[in-house]
Amino acid sequence: MSATALILVIVGLSLMLSRGPLLVAPVKTRDTYLRLFETERRMRVLGLVFGAISALVAWSVWEEPGTTAQVIAYFALFILVLPAGSMILFPGPMQKLATNIWNAFGEKTMRVMGLLSLAFGAWLVYFGLGL
């Protein structure tokens, strides 16, 4: 299994596991996510985690041939630079933005997000296993 396929399977499974609960318990899941944003320190740690994971993903697929590997590498670099950088450098405004966004979603919208995330995650796993 190539690094590209492995990353697609891992991302698909993590997407299904992290967003799937929105389908059955949207309010509790949202509250769990909001606890991740409670303090500026948690936002910075979250930014560091996103940065470390995205740097590892970009590094692992950078030399892989194919369009899929290039898309993954550039998306990982985007995650490394934009969200992780803003969460580390400006945790207060990003905390407010994340809280406002999650609070704006209604229960029905979160259930649809959970369903779509499960479907997209399953497709990523299927596509990754097919590489």
Side-chain angles (χ1 to χ4, degrees):
M1 181 175 270
S2 69
T4 304
L6 186 61
I7 287 171
L8 284 173
V9 169
I10 290 171
V11 168
L13 289 174
S14 64
L15 186 64
M16 291 166 60
L17 290 174
S18 66
R19 298 291 194 268
L22 284 170
L23 190 60
V24 291
V27 176
K28 281 188 168 186
T29 305
R30 179 185 59 199
D31 292 343
T32 301
Y33 292 154
L34 289 176
R35 279 194 292 274
L36 291 174
F37 313 136
E38 278 181 347
T39 65
E40 288 187 9
R41 183 173 187 214
R42 286 184 183 179
M43 286 298 287
R44 282 195 171 110
V45 169
L46 200 56
L48 286 172
V49 169
F50 284 160
I53 291 172
S54 61
L56 181 65
V57 167
W59 172 76
S60 66
V61 298
W62 194 257
E63 294 295 322
E64 293 250 344
T67 306
T68 306
Q70 289 177 344
V71 169
I72 291 172
Y74 289 128
F75 186 71
L77 289 176
F78 172 76
I79 297 296
L80 176 64
V81 173
L82 190 65
S86 61
M87 290 167 74
I88 294 168
L89 297 176
F90 309 106
M94 291 304 292
Q95 176 187 13
K96 290 176 187 171
L97 178 66
T99 303
N100 289 340
I101 288 172
W102 274 105
N103 282 328
F105 293 132
E107 189 172 332
K108 186 176 180 180
T109 304
M110 288 188 286
R111 287 185 193 275
V112 171
M113 286 171 41
L115 181 65
L116 291 175
S117 295
L118 279 175
F120 186 66
W123 179 80
L124 283 176
V125 170
Y126 175 76
F127 186 75
L129 290 175
L131 287 180

